[in-house]
Amino acid sequence: MSEDKTYQVTMEEHEFIYPRYEFVAQANVSDPDIFERMSLDKFPYYYKEFADMLEWDEYWHTMLDTSDAPCWKWFVGGRLNASYNCVDRHLKENKNKTAIHYVPEPEGEAIEHITYQNLYMRVNEVAAVLRDEMGLKKGDRVTLHLPMTPELPITMLACARLGIIHSQVFGGFSGKAAGERAWDSESEILITMDAYYRSGKLLDHFEKAEEACKRSEEEGQKIKTVLVWQRYKGKHSSPTPLKEGRDLVMNDLIEKHKRVKVDPVSMPAEDILFLMYTSGTTGRPKGIQHSTGGYLAYVTAMTYIIQDVQPTDVYWCMADIGWITGHSFIVYGPLSLGASTVVYEGTPTYPDPGRCWRIAEELDVNIYHTSPTAIRMLRKAGYDEPDNYNHKFKLMCTVGEPIEPEVWKWYYEKVGKNQAAIVDTYWQTENGGFLCSSVPGIEPMKPGSAGKTVPGLHAVVYDDTGREMEPGEGKAGNICMRNPWPGSMQTIWKDRDRYVRTYYERYCKDPKSKDWRDWPYMTGDAAVLAADGYFRILGRIDDIINVAGHRLGTKEVESAALVVEEVAEAAVVAAKDEIKGAVPDLYVSLKPGFEPSTELEKKINATIRDVVGPIATPKGVWIVPDMPKTRSGKIMRRVLACVSNNTDTGDVTTLANPEVVELIEEMVKKGK
Ligand code: PRX
């Protein structure tokens, strides 16, 4: 067994590994002709192939409308319903097929196999509650703060059935974070759950609802009703009592709407399907706005082309539906294709490192999708554990962060038993679906590389002067997309300026232009383009830390620290972490009259967990006498990052207070 160390994404290119013949022979896409069909000179017409994977109530007349560039409109004139496409359309031939295999965390609880017929009934009943009890209608926003149980996809699909815009906040986020997002999206209704299992504990999730309502109301958005799903039907499993007049039990309401059918609302392709909040470079998360037609067409096509999902497959994406990966590749993509998708409630290593492989064996999962953080965790917890199980994957996916070649190798050899093809998919919340990945039946894999752009997309790497870099230059640049695509966000909710500024301003060739060629999309990631056209993604070029494959804005954590009254200044940097890739490390200075203490460190730590959520828990809270600053008073985060990662801080003599660097270095080295 190899020794664990702090992993690095190496600069060296690895050898190609070719998928096995058995995989290629059965692949959805194995003809390289797809790249020819989707060459840039044929843009945007090839996206008809994607649109035709859906059922339209009314076929679209305009593929791409650029009149409001860079807010692209796709499949204009078309009408469809996402819930119909993910549920109803499969009834005719597949009503008895499992749509969702729900695996509760406690192994004593039975796995639930929800058929398409059952999903249809349940989605309709929830839609009836939302429409007839709550009076919700097309265009209204609803905030969901749900854990990984079937009620989450069912509620999403019920919203989609009515054209209600769902905004699901990751269940692990705090009540305050949910409240802030409810306020921004102007939701009057919050849908939550009483409790759920995580690492063997039944967590009180409902307690977060009170905080969410309080936070939202402070900002001027009153949440009128909280709908509460029960983890165990007929029982309130949270010690926090329901509030009269505000909270209603969803399971009770459903009893009144048993077997009620709700007609799917025919939505213009350009109407909003959902909002998904993600961290940006300011303290305020941004509501990424996804369309109905373009988004659904894109995720359906990506699930088919890259995930190779076929009617007989059982597909398990281990992400949380609270993140974009779960939206696209647990819910909308697989269900739109009529596949069987797995929803697992709990921790991958609970109660032991064999849990995932037992689930895979029991359900005969053959497509598996997870993040490098989970792979590192599973590798560390049970290096040889996959040997003990008879699961057999044809395809495995990795997403969310760069994967170290040696971790990739373990995934390939141990988890995939040297048989499964691997796709390393690179993309973002904003993109709806993949940007880069190899097409598994056509292109070889390269450990540590995400591959070329997916069919239909065409990337360019710019250096800092705006020059297009050549393949094989060996240096990193900013990876951008030359052309728009149907899955791309429409805008940032209520903030078009921020949308243009963040993603387009830097490389826009003419801000007045209505021609898509003038508006390359800037991902915000650094990448190296190899001579063979494969992209190696190095990480963010902005103030965003990728923690366990999830985006965390340093400003978000800093603002949370500044809530503590003793704190004068806060600076967050990324510290390398063996499992999570990176974690935030926090430096604070205090207002005059306050003294550092362990209690204060704990208070700051607890405040951050409370304001943002446990994902933001800093590795350390370093109360420093002063921040290293430039002469103009700017905090030198670069220097602090070197200290956190024990690397050379370089020449600091030009700082206003160079002496403080040594003091901080000593403090961090001593761990005090
Ligand atoms: O830095 C890139 C990294 O994750 C960021 C997007 O985060 P988020 O919007 O939370 O979506 C994560 C899942 C889609 C990107 O800007 N990233 C994502 N996938 C990869 C990656 N870095 C390297 N390799 C990947 N495959």
Side-chain angles (χ1 to χ4, degrees):
M1 168 170 169
S2 73
E3 237 178 50
D4 278 309
K5 54 181 186 285
T6 301
Y7 302 109
Q8 299 278 336
V9 174
T10 55
M11 288 303 282
E12 136 210 8
E13 296 290 333
H14 283 249
E15 296 285 314
F16 281 141
I17 297 177
Y18 288 82
R20 284 161 59 95
Y21 169 75
E22 287 87 337
F23 179 83
V24 177
Q26 63 79 63
N28 280 337
V29 180
S30 55
D31 187 348
D33 161 62
I34 191 168
F35 292 108
E36 179 50 38
R37 282 200 320 273
M38 299 194 182
S39 59
L40 197 55
D41 56 321
K42 300 189 183 89
F43 177 86
Y45 305 104
Y46 46 74
Y47 280 126
K48 181 176 184 317
E49 280 187 38
F50 289 25
D52 288 350
M53 297 182 117
L54 304 180
E55 246 184 60
W56 296 81
D57 304 332
E58 210 168 300
Y59 205 63
W60 43 274
H61 53 67
T62 306
M63 169 89 66
L64 172 64
D65 173 358
T66 64
S67 59
D68 187 27
C71 294
W72 318 111
K73 294 191 184 64
W74 286 91
F75 311 127
V76 183
R79 294 185 88 96
L80 77 166
N81 181 278
S83 172
Y84 175 87
N85 269 278
C86 291
V87 185
D88 307 35
R89 72 158 157 159
H90 308 308
L91 295 180
K92 211 165 137 208
E93 291 182 359
N94 283 312
K95 62 170 176 284
N96 291 325
K97 178 176 175 176
T98 299
I100 298 173
H101 293 282
Y102 166 55
V103 185
E105 191 187 71
E107 283 193 285
E109 285 184 26
I111 295 179
E112 204 184 333
H113 308 280
I114 302 170
T115 62
Y116 272 97
Q117 173 66 17
N118 186 240
L119 181 64
Y120 169 73
M121 297 301 284
R122 291 168 75 169
V123 167
N124 271 281
E125 287 162 3
V126 177
V129 170
L130 298 180
R131 185 188 64 184
D132 302 338
E133 298 279 336
M134 297 295 114
L136 288 165
K137 55 180 190 320
K138 175 173 171 308
D140 291 343
R141 275 83 56 206
V142 169
T143 295
L144 278 46
H145 194 202
L146 289 168
M148 282 291 284
T149 63
E151 285 75 12
L152 171 50
I154 288 170
T155 309
M156 286 162 66
L157 291 164
C159 289
R161 196 164 191 86
L162 294 164
I164 298 165
I165 301 165
H166 59 74
S167 168
Q168 154 71 8
V169 179
F170 170 55
F173 272 156
S174 66
K176 280 200 183 80
E180 232 156 66
R181 287 154 177 80
W183 151 60
D184 190 77
S185 63
E186 297 158 306
S187 299
E188 290 186 347
I189 297 199
L190 172 72
I191 307 183
T192 186
M193 193 164 220
D194 51 3
Y196 66 99
Y197 274 99
R198 196 84 204 156
S199 301
K201 281 201 211 94
L202 187 65
L203 301 181
D204 179 3
H205 184 60
F206 180 62
E207 66 173 354
K208 294 179 179 175
E210 176 63 31
E211 197 61 62
C213 292
K214 210 170 119 208
R215 181 81 192 97
S216 185
E217 194 162 353
E218 272 166 18
E219 298 290 349
Q221 177 63 32
K222 189 168 164 56
I223 294 176
K224 292 191 183 140
T225 307
V226 178
L227 294 174
V228 189
W229 281 105
Q230 291 171 327
R231 172 66 175 75
Y232 293 101
K233 205 173 154 198
K235 180 174 156 200
H236 184 61
S237 297
S238 153
T240 313
L242 299 173
K243 208 169 183 173
E244 272 282 328
R246 188 195 66 186
D247 304 341
L248 294 170
V249 174
M250 198 62 167
N251 302 67
D252 294 344
L253 294 173
I254 285 188
E255 287 306 314
K256 293 205 271 168
H257 297 270
K258 275 284 167 206
R259 294 178 305 285
V260 173
K261 304 292 179 308
V262 174
D263 282 342
V265 175
S266 191
M267 303 280 290
E270 269 306 288
D271 274 16
I272 307 166
L273 180 59
F274 67 85
L275 300 177
M276 157 106 354
Y277 282 85
T278 188
S279 298
T281 48
T282 69
R284 228 181 115 186
K286 41 195 181 183
I288 302 301
Q289 181 179 315
H290 281 290
S291 72
T292 304
Y295 169 82
L296 196 63
Y298 198 69
V299 297
T300 307
M302 287 299 119
T303 310
Y304 183 84
I305 300 170
I306 307 293
Q307 304 287 285
D308 200 53
V309 170
Q310 298 175 16
T312 50
D313 292 334
V314 179
Y315 173 72
W316 182 14
C317 170
M318 220 171 59
D320 193 294
I321 298 175
W323 307 108
I324 192 70
T325 304
H327 270 49
S328 299
F329 297 109
I330 298 177
V331 183
Y332 285 113
L335 294 179
S336 171
L337 279 184
S340 298
T341 184
V342 179
V343 171
Y344 173 52
E345 177 182 31
T347 309
T349 48
Y350 183 83
D352 57 68
R355 183 67 194 273
C356 287
W357 322 129
R358 279 201 292 286
I359 294 172
E361 188 179 313
E362 173 153 3
L363 294 176
D364 199 16
V365 171
N366 64 341
I367 305 179
Y368 181 67
H369 185 159
T370 192
S371 65
T373 289
I375 303 169
R376 290 183 209 112
M377 203 164 84
L378 289 163
R379 176 179 182 264
K380 193 167 183 206
Y383 192 91
D384 297 316
E385 196 63 24
D387 298 350
N388 301 329
Y389 298 90
N390 276 327
H391 63 277
K392 186 166 186 278
F393 296 144
K394 71 165 183 178
L395 182 95
M396 305 193 300
C397 179
T398 153
V399 60
E401 28 170 346
I403 183 162
E404 303 74 8
E406 61 185 290
V407 177
W408 190 101
K409 260 187 81 192
W410 178 79
Y411 196 33
Y412 185 72
E413 290 170 5
K414 285 283 179 181
V415 181
K417 304 181 190 253
N418 286 310
Q419 294 187 349
I422 294 185
V423 284
D424 179 347
T425 59
Y426 160 64
W427 60 298
Q428 311 169 305
T429 305
E430 291 87 339
N431 313 145
F434 309 136
L435 297 179
C436 293
S437 166
S438 50
V439 179
I442 305 176
E443 295 167 316
M445 314 163 238
K446 194 203 274 187
S449 270
K452 296 182 187 169
T453 41
V454 295
L457 271 171
H458 301 273
V460 52
V461 180
Y462 290 118
D463 73 6
D464 276 337
T465 66
R467 179 184 65 88
E468 282 189 21
M469 296 176 78
E470 295 295 326
E473 270 191 42
K475 288 199 203 93
N478 300 334
I479 177 167
C480 297
M481 298 297 132
R482 287 185 198 276
N483 60 297
W485 64 100
S488 181
M489 77 194 123
Q490 299 178 298
T491 183
I492 294 173
W493 172 253
K494 294 193 304 191
D495 204 346
R496 189 186 195 275
D497 285 353
R498 189 175 177 192
Y499 166 75
V500 178
R501 232 181 18 251
T502 312
Y503 305 104
Y504 292 100
E505 196 169 64
R506 179 150 179 203
Y507 292 112
C508 176
K509 291 168 195 153
D510 170 10
K512 291 209 178 66
S513 172
K514 304 290 176 209
D515 187 337
W516 56 267
R517 290 171 196 80
D518 293 324
W519 295 93
Y521 167 81
M522 188 176 91
T523 61
D525 281 305
V528 178
L529 172 56
D532 54 30
Y534 275 44
F535 292 95
R536 202 144 33 78
I537 311 298
L538 303 179
R540 308 283 319 176
I541 55 172
D542 50 19
D543 294 331
I544 290 173
I545 308 178
N546 192 328
V547 184
H550 303 304
R551 251 199 272 179
L552 189 68
T554 52
K555 291 281 180 299
E556 248 174 293
V557 188
E558 289 170 6
S559 322
L562 290 167
V563 169
V564 179
E565 63 157 331
E566 290 91 338
V567 174
E569 292 173 307
V572 165
V573 298
K576 288 210 171 75
D577 184 86
E578 186 197 324
I579 298 291
K580 295 180 178 172
V583 286
D585 207 14
L586 172 69
Y587 295 84
V588 294
S589 66
L590 302 182
K591 289 176 192 159
F594 292 109
E595 290 299 320
S597 68
T598 319
E599 282 66 45
L600 184 54
E601 282 171 25
K602 283 191 187 144
K603 180 173 164 189
I604 296 168
N605 199 308
T607 307
I608 289 169
R609 290 170 65 92
D610 181 45
V611 174
V612 188
I615 191 174
T617 309
K619 182 178 173 207
V621 176
W622 309 107
I623 303 180
V624 298
D626 197 6
M627 295 282 189
K629 285 186 185 147
T630 60
R631 285 174 206 271
S632 58
K634 210 171 150 252
I635 299 176
M636 286 300 284
R637 287 180 176 73
R638 184 193 62 75
V639 172
L640 293 172
C642 293
V643 177
S644 285
N645 292 297
N646 200 15
T647 55
D648 184 10
T649 51
D651 181 11
V652 292
T653 51
T654 55
L655 293 185
N657 51 355
E659 67 292 344
V660 82
V661 176
E662 213 171 299
L663 273 174
I664 299 176
E665 270 178 319
E666 260 172 49
M667 178 189 247
V668 174
K669 266 197 196 118
K670 274 201 298 202
K672 250 195 140 15

